[in-house]
Amino acid sequence: MFRFFGFWILAGGFVALIVDGTRSIAAARLTFTSAADAWSAVSPDTFALARARLTDLSTWAWPDVAAPLLGLPLFVLLCGLGFLLLAIGRARRRSRYEVG
């Protein structure tokens, strides 16, 4: 299951990279879409709800943890999460000395 979702999230990261590359070529300068901008464009209500809940949870959760992560380019965040899920779901290499 981890590998399945990891591949799909990694594919989404590559799509985000292609979109950012296309926008960079069109603008003749390097442009990136942050994860916060993408999330607020897709679903502004859930973005505001998550921000409010994290702020209510603790005073440091939004400004110290979530905001820097969501400030990353979307493709970096998705590719990192995809590779993490792929690493978690990788098949365990069996030792030649293991019995059974």
Side-chain angles (χ1 to χ4, degrees):
M1 231 24 201
F2 286 112
R3 289 191 324 184
F4 177 77
F5 287 117
F7 277 121
W8 280 104
I9 291 172
L10 188 62
F14 284 123
V15 168
L17 179 64
I18 297 300
V19 168
D20 283 346
T22 304
R23 286 185 181 162
S24 294
I25 291 170
R29 63 182 175 87
L30 200 56
T31 59
F32 295 113
T33 304
S34 72
D37 291 341
W39 187 4
S40 63
V42 171
S43 180
D45 295 334
T46 59
F47 181 74
L49 179 66
R51 184 176 185 166
R53 291 246 171 114
L54 282 176
T55 304
D56 291 343
L57 179 68
S58 68
T59 58
W60 56 268
W62 181 262
D64 295 337
V65 178
L69 282 176
L70 292 175
L72 290 173
L74 181 62
F75 76 90
V76 170
L77 192 65
L78 289 178
C79 288
L81 182 61
F83 282 127
L84 178 69
L85 290 175
L86 286 173
I88 290 171
R90 73 176 174 86
R92 189 174 75 109
R93 186 184 305 173
R94 298 186 62 89
S95 172
R96 3 179 235 182
Y97 304 112
E98 196 172 314
V99 177

